[in-house]
Amino acid sequence: MRASFANLVQSLNLTSHAVAQRGHAASVLRWTLLLVPMAIAVGTLCAAFLWSLDVATRARSVVSYRICEAACRRPARNGVIAVSSAFAEWTT
């Protein structure tokens, strides 16, 4: 058998290889179309969680500051600052 491009195509069976690769490309495209929207949704939910965590942390800092501010205005009894009563005063 003589070495030629036609013999190479016949011996390697490039047509079936191209068909197999087309199936693989379709599978990759299908998974990509499935995973990209899912990644967008998960990323959005993670960002929303981190944003809400930041809001909660800032709100807690403000409340803690106001509780301490109210507690410091009250005289301490036996060296103890009444934080619970200061919190009750602040919330009402």
Side-chain angles (χ1 to χ4, degrees):
M1 181 157 61
R2 215 174 108 171
S4 68
F5 186 70
N7 289 339
L8 180 65
V9 170
Q10 288 174 353
S11 66
L12 290 178
N13 198 3
L14 289 178
T15 353
S16 69
H17 179 70
V19 169
Q21 291 300 338
R22 189 175 3 168
H24 180 69
S27 176
V28 167
L29 180 65
R30 214 172 330 150
W31 276 104
T32 302
L33 291 175
L34 178 71
L35 291 177
V36 166
M38 188 183 303
I40 290 171
V42 168
T44 302
L45 289 173
C46 286
F49 171 74
L50 291 174
W51 175 79
S52 67
L53 186 64
D54 185 48
V55 169
T57 303
R58 288 179 190 214
R60 184 173 182 259
S61 299
V62 169
V63 169
S64 296
Y65 174 75
R66 289 184 180 166
I67 290 172
C68 289
E69 183 181 31
C72 290
R73 281 182 287 172
R74 295 179 162 271
R77 293 184 189 167
N78 299 330
V80 177
I81 297 174
V83 175
S84 60
S85 62
F87 180 72
E89 176 187 296
W90 179 75
T91 54
T92 56

